[in-house]
Amino acid sequence: MRLARKVPAALRARYVALLARAAHLVRPSRVQVAADPEDAAIVGTALAAKAVLVTGDKALLNAPLEGVRIVSVRLALEEQAEGAEEPASP
C-alpha cells in the first residue's frame, strides 16, 4: 500500500481513531455513476452522509456528480492542515 509508505503508523492510527469517533451509519442513496457503475455505492454513501468523498480515483475526480463534493487526497490533507492552523473561536 502506497499510503503506508508515506504516512507513519502512529499518524495512521490517530486518523483511524478519529474516523471511528466521527462515524455514523447511513443508507446509501441510489445514484448513477456513468464512469464506473461499481462506484455507485461509494458515491451514494457520501451523498446520504452529506460527506466529502476523498479519493485518488481519477474518473471520480473528473465526474460531475450533483450533491457530492469529490476531492483528491492531497486537497483533503491541505484543507485539513489549513483548518488546523486557524485559531479556535472563543
Side-chain angles (χ1 to χ4, degrees), residues 5-42:
R5 286 182 267 149
K6 295 180 180 182
V7 180
L11 183 57
R12 289 193 316 265
R14 284 181 35 210
Y15 185 65
V16 169
L18 171 69
L19 291 176
R21 284 193 307 274
H24 64 274
L25 294 176
V26 297
R27 183 175 306 277
S29 300
R30 290 186 178 265
V31 296
Q32 296 287 337
V33 181
D36 186 350
E38 292 184 10
D39 289 334
I42 301 299

Side-chain angles (χ1 to χ4, degrees), residues 29-66:
S29 300
R30 290 186 178 265
V31 296
Q32 296 287 337
V33 181
D36 186 350
E38 292 184 10
D39 289 334
I42 301 299
V43 174
T45 301
L47 180 62
K50 298 181 175 88
V52 175
L53 178 55
V54 180
T55 184
D57 185 319
K58 290 183 182 7
L60 278 178
L61 288 166
N62 295 319
L65 296 168
E66 189 173 330

